[in-house]
Amino acid sequence: METSKKIDAKVIKAYQRYLKLEKNFTPNTIEAYMRDVEKLLAYLEGEGKQPTEVVLEDLQTFAASLHDIGIGARSQCRILSGVRAFYRFLYLDGWMENDPTELLESPKIGDHLPEVLSTAEVDMMEDAIDLSKWEGHRNRAIIEVLFSCGLRVTELVTLPLSNLYLDEGYIRVNGKGRKERLVPISQKAIKELNLWFDDRCRMNIKPGEEDYVFLNRRGAHLTRTMILIMIKNTAKEAGIEKTISPHTLRHAFATALLEGGADLRVIQAMLGHESIGTTEIYTHIDTTTLRDAILKHHPRNINT
C-alpha cells in the first residue's frame, strides 16, 4: 500500500506533466503555478492533511492565513487562482470526487484596508444579542473574546478550557505554525465567559469535545463558518452596515491598542504576527484618526 507521501508526490508530478504537455505552459509559467501549490502544500503539512483530503473549509482557512501573514489582496487572488487550477486538475483527472474550490471566494481587489469597528459598535453588537436564547451568552462571550484578545477565528474555535487561566487574567493561544502565545484577557471577557459556562455546564457534550470552550447546541465544537454567520447576523441586528467578519474584531482589537498608545511590538506579540511588517498595517488604519486630530487641533488649521 502506497504511503501518503508517495501519493502526494505522484499527484504533484502528474500536475506538472499536465501543465507542460496539455496546457503547453512555458517553464516560467509552470514554476509560478507550482509556487502557488507549494504554499498550499506547506500549509497542509502543518495541518497534517494531504491535498486530496481537502474540503472547502480547509481552503477557506488557508486563504485566511494568507491574509494573516500580510499577503496583499492581489497576491492572494493570484495564489488562490493557482490553487483553483490545481484542484480542477485533480477533479478532472480523477484524483478527487469533487472540486473543493467551487465555492472558494477571493478577496475583493481595492479593499486595501479592512473595516474597523469602534468599541461603541462592538457594544452595539453585544447589546443586540437575545439573551433569552440558549446561545445568547455564548455569542456575547465569543464577540468579547475576539475583541478583547484579538484572536484569529481558528484560534477561537480550537480554544481549549485547559488554556484558560482566568484567575491569573490570561489565556494561552495556539497560533499559526503551532506557536503558543500568552494573551491578557479583560475582566469583561471573563465575565461573559463565566455566564456562558453557567449554560455550558448544563449541556450534553459529545465525547472528545469536552475541552472546547465554545460548543454548538449538539455539544460539538464550532466551525469557522458558524462563527462567520453569527457575526454577520449580529452586526445586521445591531444596524451596522459595514462588511463584518470575525477578523474585523481582531482588527478592532489591534486598532484600539494602537489608539491607546501601545507599541507596535506589543501589538505584534498579542496578535502573534511573525513579522512586524504585518502589524504595521494598523499604522495606516489609524491615519484617519491622526488626520482628523491634526485638522482639528494643529494651529495652522485653526481659523484666527
Side-chain angles (χ1 to χ4, degrees):
M1 186 174 181
E2 290 183 297
T3 65
S4 60
K5 284 191 175 180
K6 286 184 178 179
I7 294 172
D8 188 7
K10 286 181 68 175
V11 167
I12 300 305
K13 190 171 183 180
Y15 183 53
Q16 287 177 310
R17 188 166 55 247
Y18 163 78
L19 294 176
K20 181 178 180 180
L21 301 178
E22 296 193 35
K23 300 298 288 184
N24 198 29
F25 287 159
T26 65
N28 285 343
T29 301
I30 293 172
E31 183 180 352
Y33 271 80
M34 295 311 301
R35 278 200 301 269
D36 295 335
V37 173
E38 285 165 6
K39 287 182 176 66
L40 175 67
L41 294 179
Y43 171 81
L44 293 177
E45 184 178 2
E47 298 295 311
K49 278 204 167 190
Q50 294 298 311
T52 50
E53 299 171 342
V54 161
V55 296
L56 176 61
E57 188 173 340
D58 297 316
L59 295 173
Q60 289 172 331
T61 307
F62 168 67
S65 75
L66 298 177
H67 181 280
D68 285 350
I69 62 175
I71 294 177
R74 291 184 186 278
S75 296
Q76 290 177 50
C77 287
R78 193 208 69 244
I79 293 167
L80 294 179
S81 177
V83 169
R84 288 189 187 91
F86 178 57
Y87 277 102
R88 277 197 298 273
F89 161 75
L90 294 185
Y91 169 65
L92 294 173
D93 211 49
W95 293 93
M96 299 185 70
E97 294 183 0
N98 53 64
D99 181 357
T101 67
E102 284 184 345
L103 299 178
L104 181 63
E105 296 181 353
S106 290
K108 294 178 182 178
I109 301 296
D111 290 346
H112 302 297
L113 296 179
E115 295 274 21
V116 177
L117 288 171
S118 66
T119 302
E121 287 172 322
V122 175
D123 290 339
M124 286 167 58
M125 288 179 65
E126 293 181 359
D127 290 342
I129 293 172
D130 185 352
L131 296 181
S132 68
K133 295 182 178 179
W134 82 268
E135 72 273 22
H137 285 299
R138 183 202 68 183
N139 290 351
R140 282 187 65 143
I142 287 171
I143 290 173
E144 189 56 39
V145 169
L146 285 171
F147 177 58
S148 293
C149 301
L151 303 189
R152 301 179 178 95
V153 65
T154 302
E155 295 168 348
L156 180 96
V157 298
T158 59
L159 183 65
L161 291 169
S162 51
N163 276 16
L164 302 184
Y165 301 88
L166 302 186
D167 290 340
E168 292 81 2
Y170 70 89
I171 62 176
R172 188 169 72 243
V173 180
N174 297 313
K176 291 179 55 180
R178 296 177 181 156
K179 292 183 179 178
E180 291 188 345
R181 67 185 189 277
L182 297 177
V183 179
I185 183 168
S186 70
Q187 287 301 310
K188 180 167 173 50
I190 292 172
K191 176 185 174 182
E192 297 296 346
L193 279 172
N194 284 329
L195 289 170
W196 156 237
F197 291 153
D198 288 342
D199 296 334
R200 186 185 183 280
C201 69
R202 293 191 289 271
M203 295 178 65
N204 292 320
I205 301 175
K206 287 187 175 181
E209 305 284 290
E210 297 89 350
D211 199 30
Y212 287 101
V213 172
F214 296 109
L215 304 169
N216 61 29
R217 64 176 64 243
R218 294 180 298 278
H221 69 277
L222 297 170
T223 66
R224 289 169 49 88
T225 303
M226 290 175 185
I227 301 289
L228 174 63
I229 292 170
M230 184 275 286
I231 294 291
K232 285 184 175 293
N233 288 342
T234 303
K236 184 177 180 181
E237 289 291 324
I240 296 172
E241 297 181 357
K242 296 177 181 178
T243 302
I244 301 299
S245 73
H247 220 77
T248 311
L249 290 160
R250 178 169 158 88
H251 289 304
F253 162 82
T255 305
L257 283 180
L258 184 66
E259 290 177 349
D263 184 86
L264 272 184
R265 292 288 178 186
V266 173
I267 300 173
Q268 178 189 7
M270 293 300 95
L271 292 174
H273 282 162
E274 189 74 26
S275 167
I276 189 67
T278 308
T279 313
E280 284 174 345
I281 185 175
Y282 297 105
T283 63
H284 301 303
I285 293 172
D286 198 42
T287 298
T288 302
T289 304
L290 294 174
R291 178 181 178 276
D292 290 346
I294 290 169
L295 289 177
K296 184 176 180 180
H297 298 294
H298 194 281
R300 293 297 190 199
N301 297 310
I302 298 174
N303 292 325
T304 58

